[in-house]
Amino acid sequence: MAPVAVTLYAMKLGEFELNEPVPELKDPHLLAVLRPWIDVGRVGSMSLNRLERHLRAKELGRLHRPGLFYDFTRYRPRSFFNEGKREVSIPNTIVRYAQREEGPDLLLAHLLEPHLYGEDYTDSMLELLNHLGVKRYSLVGAMYDMVPHTRPLLVSGSGAGGELDEEQRQVRVQSSDYEGPTTITYLIPQEAARQGIETRTYVVHLPQYYQVDEDMMGTARLTELLCSLYNLPQRLIQLERGTEQYETVADMVKGEGEDITSLLQQLEEHYDREQREKEPPPPPLSANIEEFLRDLNQEFDRPEGN
């Protein structure tokens, strides 16, 4: 029997165009990376790409007319050849999905920060979250900071709903106290939280003095976090690639002279001091142990011969 061709139709939802049939998703969590705001070193993009390849994620949809939100003199379309024919790729926000046997299904969104009509963009994203029954919206990525490459990379975060504190301890995330300029797309998690959707933000802090197009160590750290949260295989982390890349930083520091060496030492001291101050206090002693220590202390204080 001849194979039957399957035709995909498009469904309009807000400013998004979704491929039909739209899948039924199980308690989906949406993982989003936002370019260019917090995707330095392509840490967020590469981490999501690793998950998408492993999970064999399929495209769910994209903006119907991205030019409504994007200035194409700033996000340039790209010309390329496909089987000898010239084609043009237009910058867009793209959402993919992956259905899993265990745990929540995953939506993986590559967001481009809008230049225009930012409120309409966030409204369309919220409409998408509600239509698909999203239980959690997580924004992931990286930023530059005055941290040393010789210490474990820090991750800061925030969120609302669920077991937030326990999860942050599990994946070694420090609460963010950032105040300052932000992105209009922050309205997405803000409004989502009001609607009862759990929200998370995970940002890896990369050394300011080492800026590359693709930061492998930062990608390994963020991928490790996501693998821990979603029970994904450790081989996705690819720590050895990050280790090799950061070994070149040590050579760079040696070649830059005393100024960079002194800066690195100051960063290490500041890092160590900050981490010591943020260490949780020891758990309280039981009443029996406290009584034992008091008795022991009294024995030491008692004069000899008594």
Side-chain angles (χ1 to χ4, degrees):
M1 187 172 71
V4 177
V6 177
T7 303
L8 293 179
Y9 298 93
M11 165 188 171
K12 190 78 181 302
L13 182 69
E15 295 300 328
F16 280 92
E17 195 171 63
L18 306 184
N19 296 327
E20 290 194 317
V22 176
E24 292 187 9
L25 300 173
K26 176 185 60 179
D27 299 327
H29 288 198
L30 188 146
L31 304 176
V33 59
L34 176 64
R35 294 183 291 132
W37 179 249
I38 55 167
D39 194 33
V40 299
R42 299 196 65 240
V43 165
S45 292
M46 291 195 296
S47 298
L48 258 59
N49 288 342
R50 290 183 186 181
L51 269 60
E52 288 168 349
R53 287 193 296 270
H54 170 71
L55 297 169
R56 298 181 180 179
K58 302 175 183 177
E59 182 171 325
L60 175 66
R62 57 181 66 199
L63 292 172
H64 174 58
R65 293 184 65 84
L68 179 65
F69 302 107
Y70 302 133
D71 177 355
F72 291 136
T73 66
R74 297 169 69 182
Y75 297 154
R76 288 284 182 178
R78 179 174 171 267
S79 174
F80 65 98
F81 283 99
N82 182 16
E83 297 181 351
K85 295 183 179 180
R86 184 180 295 278
E87 297 184 6
V88 176
S89 173
I90 299 176
N92 208 331
T93 285
I94 300 173
V95 181
R96 299 183 176 92
Y97 72 94
Q99 293 171 299
R100 308 194 302 158
E101 291 184 3
E102 297 182 1
D105 291 336
L106 295 179
L107 292 158
L108 305 113
H110 295 258
L111 313 184
L112 272 178
E113 191 171 20
H115 300 125
L116 302 167
Y117 303 109
E119 295 93 337
D120 294 338
Y121 180 89
T122 58
D123 286 347
S124 285
M125 281 297 302
L126 287 163
E127 190 171 349
L128 184 70
L129 300 185
N130 286 306
H131 181 81
L132 298 173
V134 169
K135 302 300 182 183
R136 176 181 294 182
Y137 174 91
S138 298
L139 183 64
V140 302
M143 61 178 284
Y144 290 123
D145 194 4
M146 295 304 291
V147 294
H149 72 281
T150 53
R151 299 291 189 269
L153 293 178
L154 300 176
V155 181
S156 64
S158 59
E163 302 294 330
L164 177 63
D165 293 340
E166 178 59 32
E167 286 180 18
Q168 288 190 336
R169 283 193 294 270
Q170 174 190 339
V171 292
R172 293 177 290 124
V173 171
Q174 300 181 358
S175 296
S176 172
D177 57 2
Y178 173 78
E179 293 181 317
T182 187
T183 166
I184 189 66
T185 59
Y186 184 74
L187 293 176
I188 300 171
Q190 181 174 285
E191 183 57 33
R194 290 198 185 104
Q195 297 178 15
I197 299 173
E198 295 179 11
T199 65
R200 299 288 187 271
T201 301
Y202 301 116
V203 181
V204 182
H205 294 238
L206 305 179
Q208 179 78 38
Y209 55 85
Y210 181 68
Q211 300 185 14
V212 289
D213 291 337
E214 296 184 345
D215 193 299
M216 296 301 177
M217 185 61 83
T219 302
R221 178 67 182 95
L222 182 57
T223 306
E224 175 194 29
L225 183 152
L226 296 175
C227 287
S228 177
L229 286 175
Y230 293 104
N231 195 27
L232 295 169
Q234 297 293 298
R235 59 180 172 81
L236 297 179
I237 298 172
Q238 300 180 20
L239 180 60
E240 65 283 354
R241 296 181 64 186
T243 301
E244 291 173 2
Q245 187 183 53
Y246 271 30
E247 284 175 352
T248 66
V249 188
D251 296 335
M252 179 198 75
V253 169
K254 292 178 182 177
E256 290 293 330
E258 294 183 1
D259 288 344
I260 187 67
T261 302
S262 175
L263 171 62
L264 178 58
Q265 183 178 355
Q266 292 176 46
L267 294 177
E268 290 173 338
E269 292 173 354
H270 178 75
Y271 179 103
D272 294 340
R273 184 169 58 254
E274 288 281 308
Q275 295 313 298
R276 283 195 300 270
E277 292 174 355
K278 290 180 179 179
E279 286 182 358
L285 299 174
S286 68
N288 291 338
I289 293 178
E290 285 186 346
E291 183 178 357
F292 170 77
L293 291 176
R294 281 196 301 269
D295 292 342
L296 186 63
N297 187 53
Q298 290 173 1
E299 287 291 333
F300 278 113
D301 291 341
R302 187 176 302 161
E304 291 186 9
N306 292 347

